[in-house]
Amino acid sequence: MSSPVRIDATEWQRRFLDLAPETRREPRYLRHLGEREWAHYLKPPSSYLPYGFRRLRRMRFDGDVRALRLFSFAMEETERLFRAKQEGLPVVALMGDYGAVAPLLGAFPGVVTFYPDFCYFTPFLAESDVLLDRAERLGIGEDTCYVRAAAGAFAARANWPDPDLVVVSTGASCDDLAATAQAAHDLGHPTLFLDIPCRKDPAPWLRVTRFEPADGRPPVEAGLVDRLVAQYREFLARAGEVLGQRSDEVALAASVSRARRMRRTIREIRGHLASAPAAPLPAYEAMLAEFAATHGFGDPDECEAVLAGVRDLVAERAAAGVGVLPPDAARVVWATPPPDPLLFTLLEDAGGRVAGSEYLIASALTLPPDEPDPVVAVARAFLAGSLLGSSAARAKSVVAEVRRANAEGVVISNLFGSSHCGAETPVIRRAVEEECGLPVLSFDVPRPAPGGVASQVKNRVEAFVEALTQRRRTCGRP
Amino acid sequence: MREAMTPLERFALLFMDERPDRLITAPFVTTAAAAFAGVSPGACCRDGALLARAQIAAQEALRHDAFFVFSDVAIVAEAMGSVLRFAEDRVPLLDVPVVREARDVDGLPLPGPDRGRFPVYLEAVRILHETRGDRVPVFCLVPAPFTTAAGLRGAEDFLVDTIADPPLAEALVLAAERATVPLLDAIVLAGGLPALVDPLASASVAAPKTYRALALPGTRRLVERLHRLDLDVLLHVCGEITPILEDLAATGADLLSFDRAGVAEVRDAVGDRMRLAGNVSPVTILSRRAEEVLEETRRAIREGMGAPRGFVLSTGCEVPPGSPPENLAAFYRAAAAAGGVP
Ligand code: SF4
């Protein structure tokens, strides 16, 4: 196996046009509906340029078709949602829970879920103010993080069809998100609220490795589990009323099992990313794989196949000792998902590699334990996530990730207006510096603009990677 | 509170068989755009930055839903060796066709994206995409192979060839098709949506069977190539199209822009397979009274709104430079009254 290289949109277009028709046409979403011309979704990054996704011209991508399939599967979510709605499938918007409500909604076969929250990435992929400006006109300004783009999207109704139901997690979730969700609610969509309980620290689970609980169960306080389970039961009953369906217990169990399988696959991918001598996947595609855990991008059946392909790809590369970046790339853990994916390209071009990550969606990566009651399993897994606890708890999970990934440094991409970054970043920095003795780079992700990343940020990322490389020369590997 | 969609969002929804927030209004303000930027049409044809500036100025003044990068239908033929005559006050015209006799076809070059005035188009597309591409779609109008073949040979000689020497005509169309591919690919990479224009293929100029034999295959292959990238393809044919409506549908194009045919007629014939764009006559806009423009625009809207796969209010061909401002205003007034441009 020769060493793969990252390629740009131009090269992908050239290669794509030469692909065999059966390769191009094999990936299809919503397969259970039968053959539909619009369901063939594999396409290269350049296909999205005329539709406004300008950042893609500046990024680099994995050159393997299996990674491209993941990329286009994620990018096609808008059309998938509109087509699903045209086919009469109920479309449900989920906000703020990451990984719990989507498997639960598997109790209603045919429901297609999505996270408006992930509009967070859209202004950057498009290098555009459009959604943020709209959010501002709705009164959600710069004191709210980039998730506010979702409010702008709700207001124009072009990013997704009108949802049949919006499910909003509030409470210990996040007030930036609550502000955004309120805008959706104000537009009159049927909305159900879930109250996310606050997890008290120190909780016993913190002593357990986050992704490999010793006994397969996150040992979360029983009281919290009971509270959440009661809410989930109530939620399923009310969602059934709104959707006009009865909750199907067999389908629910199958949905939770499928979530478990998907998360296991993603854990395997993450394992290779952390342990392979050379990065077996670029950071952007790796992040997309992680985000698939939240809801299978609305089509979990197809998503399983997509993720299995990526898992095989990284396993093959790891076994062959080849990767998309040089083996001596500086290993970092990236904390908080960067809304601007060009930052990954920048880090990788500078000689860095994302070996581990803490993207605030850990609740979607925890395996639902093998409980007889799937609702209990979902609640337990959810409570192990990193959004609900204290800053100290999140810092500990970053430290655990640093150790797992044998990282040489940590990058934290902060968000203007975010409710957690200001408090959390110094805590994470201190924990990483004191407990691991490693340098930390933190910076605010600037508002999207045409062109590349702001030169201050670019310089800082490049200097950080250079410093990590220097440090390796003087101190040896950590 | 509802927010207005951007033109790009409107087109994206149209191509997903969804209804946008309002009537999409996209007249072909091409050469006529130069006046909005205070530059000459001839200069825009040779300078991508000026071409982009003119498009931006016209769109900001009139607020329609698309940019159209376009100069003339000889651009591919020129890149293959035909010589054009330029002037300040108009678009270039074919002067010396590159193919004088049959054997010249073999020596025709396969132009890369840096040949002829391709860089002018590509620069204009790139500038529009970089500056406005997050909100307004950038269509780049490229001659379809049949029309380019006419630019390689001279329109009259080529039309004679289609009857007297079909193998030569076919060879010309094939060469034109091959030469168009790199330009289409480069337009996509620059952020534009390639669109095909085929004025020479209309039934006013060529017989329907000529369209079927010579124009359709190459156009269909180019549409298929763009479909491989999952791009939505606009096909514009001016002149008479009624006898070739089924053939136009057979190209696979997603959005048919047409000139001399009733919107209702086209809607009933192919509206279940194609989205439609049309078709206020440029002649009406240039030389009739504003009330007539208003009436014709209203009729197009009335008939187009029932198109099953969607409708774009447009002109049947380029808005003629020098059109009376009150006539242009009448077009936009009718669009606004139907919920189009604000
Ligand atoms: S502040 Fe953080 S947790 Fe809250 S919505 Fe923004 S990214 Fe999500």
Side-chain angles (χ1 to χ4, degrees):
Chain A
M1 190 182 217
S2 61
S3 251
V5 287
R6 292 172 305 138
I7 58 175
D8 64 11
T10 304
E11 176 60 13
W12 240 134
Q13 177 168 304
R14 196 189 60 71
R15 290 190 191 181
F16 185 86
L17 287 165
D18 288 338
L19 286 179
E22 38 309 348
T23 307
R24 275 191 283 110
R25 291 182 61 80
E26 204 289 314
R28 275 193 298 136
Y29 55 72
L30 303 177
R31 279 174 198 257
H32 62 281
L33 296 173
E35 172 64 25
R36 300 283 192 279
E37 191 49 42
W38 42 254
H40 299 269
Y41 64 84
L42 191 72
K43 47 178 117 163
S46 61
S47 293
Y48 298 95
L49 294 174
Y51 298 101
F53 293 99
R54 300 184 284 188
R55 211 46 144 192
L56 301 177
R57 191 189 296 135
R58 300 176 228 285
M59 291 166 58
R60 279 183 220 271
F61 306 88
D62 195 298
D64 191 279
V65 170
R66 289 167 284 186
L68 183 71
R69 184 176 180 182
L70 170 65
F71 164 80
S72 25
F73 186 59
M75 290 293 290
E76 279 306 283
E77 190 159 26
T78 288
E79 175 149 8
R80 188 157 54 245
L81 293 169
F82 279 110
R83 296 299 185 187
K85 188 90 179 188
Q86 287 166 7
E87 294 282 345
L89 302 176
V91 171
V92 178
L94 313 177
M95 301 189 74
D97 75 287
Y98 311 126
V101 180
L104 290 176
L105 283 171
F108 305 104
V111 163
V112 176
T113 58
F114 73 103
Y115 279 93
D117 319 18
F118 297 163
C119 239
Y120 171 83
F121 298 104
T122 309
F124 292 87
L125 285 168
E127 301 182 346
S128 173
D129 273 339
V130 167
L131 295 179
L132 299 176
D133 286 348
R134 280 182 190 148
E136 269 150 41
R137 285 194 291 275
L138 293 173
I140 309 174
E142 292 208 322
D143 48 359
T144 305
C145 90
Y146 294 122
V147 164
R148 70 185 187 275
F154 267 115
R157 307 164 84 188
N159 291 61
W160 47 73
D162 283 349
D164 296 278
L165 173 64
V166 182
V167 184
V168 181
S169 296
T170 56
S173 180
C174 164
D175 62 351
D176 295 52
L177 200 116
T180 303
Q182 207 172 309
H185 184 56
D186 291 349
L187 288 167
H189 301 303
T191 307
L192 294 177
F193 291 92
L194 280 169
D195 181 32
I196 302 297
C198 187
R199 195 184 51 216
K200 290 181 259 92
D201 294 319
W205 68 271
L206 284 175
R207 290 194 292 274
V208 181
T209 309
R210 191 155 47 91
F211 300 106
E212 294 289 350
D215 59 357
R217 297 155 169 248
V220 178
E221 299 153 79
L224 288 190
V225 175
D226 292 346
R227 237 172 91 188
L228 207 50
V229 166
Q231 273 206 70
Y232 285 161
R233 287 265 166 231
E234 167 76 13
F235 160 71
L236 284 171
R238 295 189 54 201
E241 284 165 22
V242 177
L243 299 171
Q245 292 187 37
R246 280 173 67 90
S247 152
D248 175 339
E249 291 297 313
V250 176
L252 173 60
S255 167
V256 175
S257 300
R258 188 177 49 205
R260 190 181 296 117
R261 284 197 304 274
M262 266 202 284
R263 291 174 195 196
R264 211 170 262 138
T265 305
I266 295 164
R267 287 161 60 128
E268 284 179 55
I269 295 169
R270 285 173 48 82
H272 287 300
L273 287 163
S275 64
L281 197 67
Y284 181 47
E285 286 86 343
M287 182 176 76
L288 292 178
E290 284 197 32
F291 273 76
T294 57
H295 67 307
F297 290 119
D299 182 355
D301 288 332
E302 177 64 10
C303 195
E304 266 203 280
V306 172
L307 289 171
V310 173
R311 189 252 336 267
D312 294 348
L313 171 67
V314 295
E316 282 164 24
R317 286 174 175 170
V322 299
V324 292
L325 299 167
D328 61 352
R331 305 164 65 87
V332 307
V333 160
W334 198 296
T336 306
D340 185 351
L342 185 59
L343 288 166
F344 286 143
T345 297
L346 205 67
L347 176 97
E348 291 171 339
D349 286 351
R353 154 188 182 183
V354 178
S357 53
E358 210 296 302
Y359 291 148
L360 289 163
I361 54 164
S363 49
L365 298 174
T366 314
L367 291 186
D370 203 6
E371 294 276 350
D373 182 344
V375 178
V376 175
V378 167
R380 280 185 175 280
F382 182 70
L383 284 165
S386 53
L387 255 182
L388 332 174
S390 64
S391 299
R394 184 155 180 248
K396 285 200 175 175
S397 50
V398 173
V399 166
E401 186 65 355
V402 164
R403 295 193 171 126
R404 189 185 72 86
N406 189 22
E408 298 164 81
V410 171
V411 177
I412 310 173
S413 45
N414 294 319
L415 309 162
F416 285 119
S418 142
S419 54
H420 54 87
C421 291
E424 242 167 43
T425 297
V427 181
I428 296 173
R429 174 187 288 279
R430 203 173 323 117
V432 172
E433 286 172 353
E434 286 174 6
E435 294 180 41
C436 312
L438 294 181
V440 175
L441 168 70
S442 69
F443 57 88
D444 293 327
V445 179
R447 213 179 146 97
V453 169
S455 58
Q456 309 91 301
V457 173
K458 185 169 185 284
N459 294 343
R460 292 188 65 194
V461 170
E462 287 170 355
F464 184 67
V465 174
E466 176 60 28
L468 294 184
T469 316
Q470 285 284 347
R471 196 172 170 274
R472 193 187 283 168
R473 270 185 228 122
T474 50
C475 329
R477 292 294 294 262
Chain B
M1 191 175 89
R2 295 289 182 197
E3 287 272 326
M5 292 176 188
T6 62
L8 186 62
E9 288 170 334
R10 291 188 187 109
F11 269 101
L13 288 176
L14 174 81
F15 289 131
M16 288 188 288
D17 299 310
E18 289 287 326
R19 294 252 168 233
D21 61 342
R22 63 169 169 79
L23 171 68
I24 301 180
T25 308
F28 288 112
V29 183
T30 46
T31 314
F36 288 85
V39 296
S40 74
C44 288
C45 300
R46 292 189 303 266
D47 183 332
L50 277 189
L51 185 48
R53 206 170 98 200
Q55 281 296 307
I56 291 170
Q59 199 272 339
E60 284 183 348
L62 303 170
R63 321 228 0 223
H64 43 243
D65 286 316
F67 292 127
F68 291 109
V69 170
F70 180 66
S71 147
D72 53 271
V73 292
I75 189 161
V76 178
E78 182 196 23
M80 296 173 79
S82 286
V83 178
L84 309 190
R85 209 165 351 108
F86 289 83
E88 273 311 295
D89 60 342
R90 57 159 173 77
V91 298
L93 302 171
L94 181 64
D95 193 12
V96 185
V98 65
V99 176
R100 300 294 184 88
E101 43 194 295
R103 63 183 175 164
D104 294 343
V105 178
D106 297 333
L108 285 173
L110 190 63
D114 55 344
R115 286 294 292 269
R117 282 176 300 126
F118 288 175
V120 173
Y121 272 27
L122 295 174
E123 186 188 11
V125 170
R126 210 170 289 119
I127 291 171
L128 292 168
H129 189 246
E130 285 284 331
T131 57
R132 303 287 195 283
D134 61 328
R135 47 200 85 197
V136 183
V138 184
F139 290 93
C140 186
L141 308 182
V142 173
F146 190 85
T147 289
T148 290
L152 294 170
R153 180 80 169 117
E156 264 176 48
D157 286 347
F158 173 65
L159 292 171
V160 171
D161 293 338
T162 61
I163 298 157
D165 190 352
L168 171 58
E170 193 178 354
L172 285 163
V173 176
L174 274 174
E177 179 190 337
R178 274 198 300 273
T180 307
V181 167
L183 177 60
L184 299 183
D185 290 355
I187 290 168
V188 177
L189 289 168
L193 264 176
L196 297 170
V197 295
D198 213 356
L200 261 290
S202 87
S204 318
V205 183
K209 70 172 194 307
T210 305
Y211 185 87
R212 231 155 277 148
L214 287 172
L216 172 60
T219 302
R220 183 162 48 202
R221 280 191 294 271
L222 293 182
V223 171
E224 273 167 10
R225 185 178 178 88
L226 293 168
H227 279 178
R228 251 188 265 170
L229 297 173
D230 200 27
L231 298 170
D232 304 292
V233 185
L234 181 157
L235 172 64
H236 171 75
V237 180
C238 32
E240 178 63 47
I241 58 158
T242 306
I244 54 168
L245 270 175
E246 280 304 318
D247 305 297
L248 294 175
T251 62
D254 303 272
L255 175 57
L256 176 64
S257 155
F258 55 95
D259 184 12
R260 261 181 266 151
V263 175
E265 176 196 7
V266 178
R267 179 196 68 202
D268 295 345
V270 296
D272 57 334
R273 283 159 284 166
M274 310 175 90
R275 295 134 190 131
L276 307 180
N279 79 333
V280 177
S281 165
V283 178
T284 310
I285 293 182
L286 179 66
S287 54
R288 302 277 164 75
R289 289 178 300 116
E291 296 75 58
E292 289 174 78
V293 176
L294 200 62
E295 189 39 50
E296 196 174 320
T297 309
R298 281 186 188 141
R299 190 173 56 239
I301 295 170
R302 224 174 20 248
E303 295 179 2
M305 289 309 259
R309 302 212 50 203
F311 175 71
V312 173
L313 175 65
S314 184
T315 43
C317 195
E318 292 184 84
V319 171
S323 295
E326 62 275 17
N327 283 8
L328 218 46
F331 173 89
Y332 283 93
R333 206 162 58 245
V341 286

